[in-house]
Amino acid sequence: MLKTLRVKNILFIMLGTAIYAFGLVNFNIQNGLGEGGLTGITLLLLHFFQIDPAYSNLVLNIPLFLIGWRLLGFRTFLYSGIGTISLSLFLWIFQRVPIVLDLSSDLLLVALFAGSFTGVGLGLVFRYGGTTGGSDIIAKLLHFKKGISMGRTLFIFDALVLTASLSYLDVRQVMYTLVAVFIGARVIDFVQEGAYAARGVMIISKDNSAIAANVMLAMNRGVTILEGRGGFSKLDQDVLYIVVAKNEIIQLKQIIESVDPHAFVSVSVVHDVMGEGFTLDENKNPLL
């Protein structure tokens, strides 16, 4: 089972937790901002009981990992364990080797930094198959089972914990924390899915065959021919479906226009793409 783990994934999960821990220690904790989810609970314990988040993070995750073991599968469970342990490790390190950044006079800037570090860090962890425990496990489960955005799920959990954080933060601090949480949620989705974003293009033309041939020749992209029928004309009409990278959409439009300037073209955003030309090469081997 251990052979299913990839060194690349482990390294990026650790990098992501390092980025997240750095932001949490040097922006949230140093400047009196809270956090959402289980991490926010560890900050509550830090404030009221002086319990190091590096330790409470591990202890609080035990029951959630028991759930994760049964529902997420062995590989995701191991990646999540690596993420949780490395997060606690980096929290311990950064608290003992602090970098003083005097931004206390500008909490908006602090919130922007905190949200960005959270988003980039957790986005990398999620993208490479891990979590940092806590509400991340629940968010990942909902993403797998229901297709709900992980960033949106985390935002809801964060809001609930932040409400409890009013017990030691004032309204001003909580509002800036909400700004950080919102930015973090958006950046998580961008990092996790944005790199895979492509464009799905549907084309209806009287010259479908010529368009398909030119696309396959000039762009080396596959073309799928779908059978369609006009709702008004009742005539059978083939529909071309092509998935291309974002930077290829202009070239594709130029090819279509050169063949049939009157073609009907519909372009949609594709958030995740797997298969040859995107995650696999022509020999069906994973792309690095």
Side-chain angles (χ1 to χ4, degrees):
M1 296 294 288
L2 292 177
K3 292 181 179 180
T4 63
L5 300 183
R6 299 180 62 185
V7 174
K8 176 183 176 182
N9 291 47
I10 293 173
L11 291 177
F12 273 102
I13 288 172
M14 294 183 68
L15 174 62
T17 56
I19 293 172
Y20 179 37
F22 179 88
L24 188 65
V25 171
N26 293 289
F27 296 111
N28 296 71
I29 295 177
Q30 278 191 18
N31 295 280
L33 294 186
E35 181 57 285
L38 186 138
T39 304
I41 296 175
T42 65
L43 296 185
L44 283 165
L45 295 175
L46 174 64
H47 177 80
F48 289 110
F49 304 104
Q50 290 74 53
I51 300 175
D52 191 328
Y55 304 133
S56 57
N57 177 64
L58 286 175
V59 173
L60 292 175
N61 269 299
I62 292 175
L64 291 171
F65 269 103
L66 294 177
I67 298 174
W69 167 259
R70 296 179 61 86
L71 299 178
L72 290 180
F74 184 73
R75 183 170 63 176
T76 302
F77 173 78
L78 289 181
Y79 280 146
S80 298
I82 292 170
T84 301
I85 293 172
S86 60
L87 175 60
S88 287
L89 174 64
F90 286 119
L91 283 172
W92 188 89
I93 292 173
F94 289 133
Q95 286 182 97
R96 284 151 184 80
V97 188
I99 298 176
V100 179
L101 301 171
D102 188 12
L103 299 174
S104 57
S105 61
D106 191 344
L107 280 183
L108 179 59
L109 188 59
V110 172
L112 293 175
F113 274 118
S116 298
F117 273 78
T118 295
V120 172
L122 290 181
L124 284 174
V125 173
F126 296 155
R127 179 175 165 182
Y128 286 92
T131 74
T132 57
S135 56
D136 300 352
I137 292 179
I138 300 174
K140 199 170 186 70
L141 286 171
L142 290 176
H143 182 66
F144 283 162
K145 302 294 185 180
K146 302 294 184 181
I148 301 173
S149 161
M150 293 181 70
R152 182 178 301 176
T153 302
L154 289 172
F155 183 76
I156 295 173
F157 277 103
D158 292 343
L160 294 174
V161 174
L162 286 173
T163 301
S165 298
L166 283 169
S167 59
Y168 77 100
L169 298 178
D170 59 34
V171 175
R172 178 170 172 267
Q173 290 171 308
V174 170
M175 287 306 299
Y176 278 116
T177 300
L178 280 172
V179 172
V181 168
F182 179 79
I183 292 172
R186 305 318 304 159
V187 175
I188 285 171
D189 287 340
F190 177 78
V191 173
Q192 185 188 7
E193 300 177 349
Y196 294 105
R199 297 294 182 265
V201 183
M202 300 191 75
I203 306 163
I204 302 175
S205 168
K206 64 183 187 307
D207 297 311
N208 274 346
S209 297
I211 292 174
N214 286 354
V215 168
M216 289 186 286
L217 178 64
M219 302 182 66
N220 195 30
R221 286 294 184 191
V223 179
T224 299
I225 300 176
L226 307 175
E227 294 182 356
R229 173 175 292 182
F232 177 77
S233 67
K234 307 302 182 183
L235 298 176
D236 292 337
Q237 172 68 60
D238 288 341
V239 180
L240 302 182
Y241 182 69
I242 307 169
V243 177
V244 297
K246 288 186 293 185
N247 61 348
E248 294 178 318
I249 191 65
I250 299 300
Q251 182 184 4
L252 177 59
K253 287 181 177 180
Q254 291 172 343
I255 291 174
I256 296 171
E257 187 173 1
S258 68
V259 176
D260 180 8
H262 304 292
F264 179 85
V265 181
S266 173
V267 181
S268 58
V269 176
V270 179
H271 289 290
D272 203 357
V273 185
M274 296 181 291
E276 184 175 342
F278 292 92
T279 59
L280 302 174
D281 62 19
E282 62 274 11
N283 297 316
K284 309 300 182 184
N285 295 316
L287 293 173
L288 297 178

